[in-house]
Amino acid sequence: MATFNHLFTPKKIGSLWIKNRILSTGHMTSYVQDGIPTDRLIAYHKERAKGGAGLIIVEANAVHPTAFFTADTICAFKDEVIPYYKKLAEAVHSYGTKMFVQLFHPGREVFPSGTSVAVAPSAVPADRFRIIPKELEIDEIRDIIKGYAETAARVNTGGLDGVEIVASHGYLPSQFWSPRLNLRKDIYGGQTIENRLRFLKEIVESVRERVGSEFVVGLRLSVDDLEDEGAEYGEIQEILRYIDQQIGGLDYFNLTGGSSATYASSAFIVPPAPVPPAHFASHAAKIREQVSVPIFVAGRINDPVIAENVLANGQADMVGMTRAMICDPHMPNKALRGELERIRVCIGCDQACIGHMQMDIPISCLQNPVTGRELQYSVMPKAEKIKNIAVIGGGPAGMKAAVIAAERGHRVTLFERSDELGGQVKMARKVPGREEFGELVSNLKRDLDYYRVDVRLNTTVTKELILAMKPDEVILATGGKPYIPHVAGADLPHVVTAWDILTRRKEPGKKVVVADWKGDMTGVGVALYLKELGCNVELVTSCYQVGHSIQEKVRTFTLTQLFLKEIEMTAQYKLSKAGPNSVSFSNIYTGQELKRENIDTLVLAYGLLQENDLFHELKEHIPNIYRIGDSLIPRTVEEAVLEGFELAASL
């Protein structure tokens, strides 16, 4: 069993003691209405405090009317926010957890739904959001500095424990300190580090003047912006030495990486798999040697053993485990009790956390639908009447339904016709770079064992089997099967599905075209898999871009691999017909033909059809029968898991 000699030792930050080294870093939740935190946000953070987090840092709080990053940014430049700070303090302090608030201004990095006019030190365009910001005038700069100080005072009045000035990810303070973004000729610009850091210096001084020396004030920043106009690692070390020695007034540095400015650099803000765990820890270690205040570090630290190693190696003083606690808010307490096998491990899919936030909808977790729904489900009630429940289909939807039903006290039997649980995840994990996605199944298997679900593999369920069982409820999670488009030549022997390739039921030829319809991971994944097999691959999609339906940060890494592996990509063409050794597509706008000759294999990635035969056989005989996941209508794993969860919670 792992030994935690560092993770659960207290740490003093400024004048404040934190009970352990685990923190939830600031992250946008969209649990905000009209600029005010909702009860949903308070319940969300309360659950993390209850689960054992030592420190929680609340997401971006706009310090000024020009600081709305998204439409759901907390409006912290008005006194109306103070009562909600008090509610947050009450929610987390009862568990011994401390809470800081992010003091935030995005500068030029305003999200498409943001309501602010983008401002910056200079009118330098931002590539990701395609904005040319307004250059700040001196009086505007000073008004924003005043906003930082007044917001910090509100946090203090609200009874919380500290504030964190956000300079990470290319946001406003770091726009001032980058010589490539700050082209000013006045006292806030130029080539001297003193001038470029004047903005931050005056923020720190103004904040300290309002909150005093005992209140914790920290700084969050990227160790490397990973984009040409931002700051690189060597510059950041120089900047931090200057801040530590010449400015002072800060109690810690919270280190992360990446920038909002480009798609490539923004992928490291919430890095998905296959980015390795704790990938910024070595950067943090070198910085820790050069400064006098504690160092926090984040970046895919999704396991308490990894976190312990970061601390034991002297790379940081506290570890950000944000997504680990989105996935399992009780991870700290489970690790403290030595229950490592009970921890639901984050798989770095980014789908329902940052993926939701980027769509301006409340965040959740693909694996853990309780996240964001704590008001309804933080305590799962036991069933009033114990029932016999049959779940048919051992993919994520069926597994989750079985787990939740059993957790509530029902007697559950899970049937799977193959020799292994997992459904389509078994194929997804074969895609290069997606191996970690398979941990979803491992997590669910552990839950099935823990709640003693009767799992029957290699079992083809028939009407007779179910009728003989006499269940009270039947849940069908039988999934889907590949959809074959109604085009000429689709029945030719060299036309196969992505499933045929990923399961090795069919072997591809040398020259392969992948016809993609949804722009999801199936098309790009099978293209990467085929390339790894040594095929010459072209991916043709009917979407406006390759990977259209994939979460943005995952798409960034996936497209990077497609380019690096020199896979030819063609967008905006839909399959029209297949010949014996050719394939034709038509442009989705003009209908113009695109033809490829001398094709050995055509691979179809055209979505799924429901598997409903068993449902139609049973529905006349079983009064309480339900369909979930792809057997209802094919979508993503997130919807499948959520439907299994919600149905089982209602039975």
Side-chain angles (χ1 to χ4, degrees):
M1 187 175 73
T3 301
F4 297 106
N5 295 322
H6 300 82
L7 194 60
F8 295 102
T9 58
K11 178 64 183 177
K12 193 175 185 182
I13 305 297
S15 61
L16 186 74
W17 281 97
I18 311 293
K19 68 178 181 179
N20 61 43
R21 308 300 183 93
I22 299 170
L23 74 132
S24 174
T25 60
H27 56 287
M28 301 286 280
T29 62
S30 299
Y31 308 148
V32 178
Q33 186 171 1
D34 298 325
I36 295 297
T38 62
D39 289 343
R40 190 174 187 178
L41 180 68
I42 294 165
Y44 172 82
H45 286 307
K46 180 179 180 179
E47 194 68 16
R48 276 129 198 85
K50 181 180 178 183
L55 171 63
I56 295 171
I57 303 178
V58 180
E59 65 197 77
N61 279 234
V63 300
H64 192 264
T66 58
F68 280 97
F69 181 51
T70 74
D72 295 318
T73 305
I74 295 173
C75 174
F77 52 84
K78 296 181 180 179
D79 289 343
E80 287 86 343
V81 77
I82 294 173
Y84 298 91
Y85 289 153
K86 291 180 178 179
K87 288 183 179 181
L88 283 164
E90 182 181 359
V92 305
H93 284 167
S94 60
Y95 295 99
T97 299
K98 305 302 182 184
M99 178 171 277
F100 302 164
V101 165
Q102 287 192 328
L103 305 182
F104 182 79
H105 198 301
R108 67 176 188 162
E109 299 297 331
V110 176
F111 204 76
S113 70
T115 57
S116 295
V117 173
V119 296
S122 303
V124 179
D127 287 347
R128 181 169 168 229
F129 296 139
R130 304 293 170 185
I131 292 172
I132 301 178
K134 175 191 178 298
E135 182 173 306
L136 284 163
E137 298 162 25
I138 290 285
D139 60 335
E140 293 173 323
I141 292 173
R142 289 172 178 163
D143 196 48
I144 290 171
I145 291 169
K146 180 182 176 184
Y148 277 95
E150 291 180 345
T151 302
R154 291 185 187 96
V155 175
N156 194 11
T157 301
L160 293 174
D161 305 293
V163 292
E164 179 176 88
I165 300 164
V166 180
S168 58
H169 305 136
Y171 300 131
L172 187 58
S174 68
Q175 292 165 31
F176 271 92
W177 71 43
S178 169
R180 290 165 290 280
L181 296 175
N182 183 349
L183 309 180
R184 305 177 70 92
K185 304 301 182 184
D186 57 22
I187 61 170
Y188 291 101
Q191 292 304 305
T192 68
I193 191 170
E194 179 183 6
N195 275 7
R196 296 197 310 276
L197 281 166
R198 190 181 305 277
F199 179 68
L200 177 65
K201 179 176 185 289
E202 292 183 1
I203 290 172
V204 174
E205 290 172 347
S206 298
V207 167
R208 278 291 177 212
E209 185 178 340
R210 294 299 301 271
V211 302
S213 60
E214 296 300 301
F215 196 64
V216 175
V217 180
L219 178 70
R220 191 180 200 204
L221 72 158
S222 295
V223 296
D224 194 321
D225 287 333
L226 302 172
E227 60 102 2
D228 293 340
E229 292 175 340
E232 56 87 28
Y233 183 42
E235 292 174 310
I236 289 297
Q237 292 179 71
E238 180 187 3
I239 287 166
L240 282 176
R241 288 194 299 269
Y242 184 90
I243 294 171
D244 189 50
Q245 296 166 17
Q246 304 299 322
I247 296 178
L250 294 167
D251 295 308
Y252 69 86
F253 296 133
N254 185 359
L255 304 180
T256 179
S259 166
S260 177
T262 70
Y263 283 112
S265 60
S266 69
F268 286 91
I269 296 175
V270 186
V275 175
H279 53 282
F280 292 126
S282 60
H283 298 73
K286 292 180 182 178
I287 289 171
R288 188 168 181 257
E289 295 173 354
Q290 301 174 55
V291 297
S292 62
V293 297
I295 292 295
F296 303 177
V297 70
R300 291 219 70 215
I301 304 175
N302 64 347
D303 180 284
V305 176
I306 295 170
E308 173 70 18
N309 289 337
V310 169
L311 297 168
N313 293 336
Q315 295 172 307
D317 298 284
M318 292 195 68
V319 284
M321 303 189 72
T322 309
R323 282 184 292 167
M325 288 185 282
I326 291 176
C327 188
D328 190 341
H330 295 267
M331 175 274 298
N333 283 342
K334 290 177 181 178
L336 182 60
R337 295 193 298 263
E339 298 173 357
L340 299 187
E341 73 286 351
R342 293 288 300 127
I343 294 172
R344 185 186 304 108
V345 180
C346 170
I347 58 176
C349 68
D350 278 8
Q351 186 164 332
C353 49
I354 187 69
H356 277 205
M357 175 265 163
Q358 290 180 314
M359 295 187 289
D360 292 313
I361 58 177
I363 71 165
S364 187
C365 177
L366 180 149
Q367 296 193 76
N368 181 24
V370 175
T371 292
R373 301 176 179 88
E374 287 83 4
L375 290 171
Q376 304 102 297
Y377 297 120
S378 63
V379 177
M380 184 62 67
K382 292 298 182 182
E384 294 180 5
K385 177 184 177 183
I386 305 302
K387 299 178 180 179
N388 290 318
I389 298 177
V391 180
I392 305 169
M399 295 173 79
K400 193 67 175 184
V403 166
I404 299 303
E407 181 182 357
R408 297 189 62 227
H410 295 303
R411 292 183 288 271
V412 183
T413 305
L414 174 63
F415 297 98
E416 166 57 37
R417 65 184 173 189
S418 73
D419 61 356
E420 183 183 3
L421 295 170
Q424 294 175 57
V425 176
K426 292 182 289 186
M427 288 180 284
R429 68 190 181 198
K430 295 183 180 180
V431 172
R434 295 285 284 178
E435 296 85 358
E436 198 171 337
F437 198 75
E439 288 303 306
L440 163 66
V441 176
S442 300
N443 288 336
L444 285 168
K445 282 181 178 178
R446 287 194 292 271
D447 286 344
L448 290 169
D449 290 341
Y450 184 81
Y451 290 110
R452 299 181 180 179
V453 174
D454 181 6
V455 177
R456 302 184 187 181
L457 301 176
N458 298 305
T459 303
T460 300
V461 175
T462 63
K463 179 179 71 174
E464 291 72 24
L465 187 155
I466 295 299
L467 292 178
M469 182 182 175
K470 297 181 180 179
D472 298 302
E473 315 274 354
V474 174
I475 300 173
L476 268 81
T478 46
K481 56 187 176 184
Y483 173 74
I484 308 299
H486 300 290
V487 299
D491 57 347
L492 290 169
H494 72 296
V495 180
V496 302
T497 70
W499 284 21
D500 290 329
I501 297 298
L502 292 171
T503 60
R504 301 304 291 265
R505 287 197 296 259
K506 302 284 181 69
E507 293 297 322
K510 184 66 177 175
K511 188 174 182 181
V512 182
V513 171
V514 177
D516 170 67
W517 176 70
K518 290 190 69 176
D520 62 3
M521 188 55 76
T522 304
V524 297
V526 77
L528 288 166
Y529 182 76
L530 287 161
K531 189 67 176 182
E532 199 169 71
L533 294 180
C535 301
N536 180 348
V537 186
E538 180 179 4
L539 174 60
V540 182
T541 182
S542 60
C543 298
Y544 76 90
Q545 74 167 114
V546 171
H548 160 72
S549 301
I550 302 173
Q551 195 280 324
E552 179 192 296
K553 299 190 188 310
V554 177
R555 181 172 65 235
T556 294
F557 280 98
T558 304
L559 287 174
T560 298
Q561 289 304 306
L562 289 167
F563 279 112
L564 290 174
K565 294 179 183 298
E566 299 181 340
I567 293 174
E568 190 174 349
M569 292 174 274
T570 304
Q572 304 169 10
Y573 279 88
K574 186 176 180 179
L575 179 66
S576 56
K577 62 181 178 181
N581 62 352
S582 67
V583 57
S584 295
F585 299 86
S586 60
N587 185 272
I588 61 173
Y589 303 112
T590 67
Q592 290 172 292
E593 184 183 39
L594 175 73
K595 191 171 185 179
R596 294 291 183 258
E597 304 277 7
N598 302 316
I599 299 301
D600 298 313
T601 308
L602 172 62
V603 179
L604 302 176
Y606 256 67
L608 304 177
L609 280 176
Q610 306 98 314
E611 287 273 19
N612 274 328
D613 293 346
L614 186 59
F615 172 78
H616 294 300
E617 286 185 46
L618 290 174
K619 68 178 182 177
E620 301 299 328
H621 305 278
I622 305 291
N624 298 325
I625 186 169
Y626 312 89
R627 285 175 288 182
I628 58 173
D630 288 351
S631 63
L632 178 62
I633 181 171
R635 288 145 298 157
T636 72
V637 176
E638 181 189 349
E639 288 87 3
V641 170
L642 176 59
E643 284 175 358
F645 174 92
E646 290 188 323
L647 175 61
S650 71
L651 297 178

